[in-house]
Amino acid sequence: MDFKKFLEENHHGEGLLRIIQESVPGREVTLAHVIASPKPIVYRKLGLNPNIDFDKAAIGIIKMTPAEAAVIASDIAVKSGDIYLGFVDRFSGTLIVTGRISSVESALQAVVHYCNTELGYNTCKITKR
């Protein structure tokens, strides 16, 4: 059935159409990526501290559902080593960390491991570029 026909049959002349959209998040880490030696512009555009040694620096990004798990992930990440918490959003499930490449990798590994083994999440592979 096409959308126009659906509207004609279900609109009932009320002048309004109600659309209900529902999201049912799974328990998963959908993205875990390390950006090694990013250009300074990337830091500036993300609102991160650009005054660092870029040759040894990295940005780590994680996306997960349910979104509130980003709070747990941020705690695990900062306790895993010497990283800076750049951004955490409990509404979108996004976490961004910065630091030395090895520290960022360790932080992402710690988060993904905990989510998989302790929380029973489906997890993705950690990628790096």
Side-chain angles (χ1 to χ4, degrees):
M1 177 182 299
D2 70 21
F3 188 66
K4 186 174 181 179
K5 186 173 180 180
F6 172 81
L7 288 176
E8 290 170 0
E9 293 176 3
N10 295 289
H11 197 256
H12 308 296
E14 297 170 6
L16 298 172
L17 175 65
R18 179 181 293 198
I19 297 175
I20 299 172
Q21 185 174 3
E22 189 173 332
S23 174
V24 181
R27 292 183 333 190
E28 60 188 350
V29 175
T30 57
L31 174 71
H33 184 75
V34 177
I35 303 169
S37 303
K39 299 288 184 182
I41 188 69
V42 177
Y43 281 86
R44 286 195 295 277
K45 293 295 183 178
L46 290 173
L48 302 171
N49 181 8
N51 299 323
I52 59 171
D53 180 3
F54 291 105
D55 292 332
K56 298 177 183 171
I59 298 172
I61 183 166
I62 297 177
K63 175 79 169 97
M64 57 182 48
T65 58
E68 298 84 2
V71 176
I72 298 166
S74 66
D75 179 61
I76 293 166
V78 296
K79 289 177 178 175
S80 72
D82 187 22
I83 59 110
Y84 171 75
L85 185 59
F87 178 77
V88 59
D89 187 352
R90 68 181 188 272
F91 301 109
S92 71
T94 302
L95 171 68
I96 296 176
V97 298
T98 62
R100 293 196 173 272
I101 296 170
S102 61
S103 297
V104 169
E105 287 177 330
S106 293
L108 268 58
Q109 288 170 357
V111 169
V112 170
H113 183 316
Y114 183 84
C115 287
N116 183 264
T117 60
E118 299 298 322
L119 299 178
Y121 281 30
N122 290 324
T123 56
C124 64
K125 176 182 154 188
I126 298 172
T127 56
K128 179 181 172 184
R129 182 162 171 108

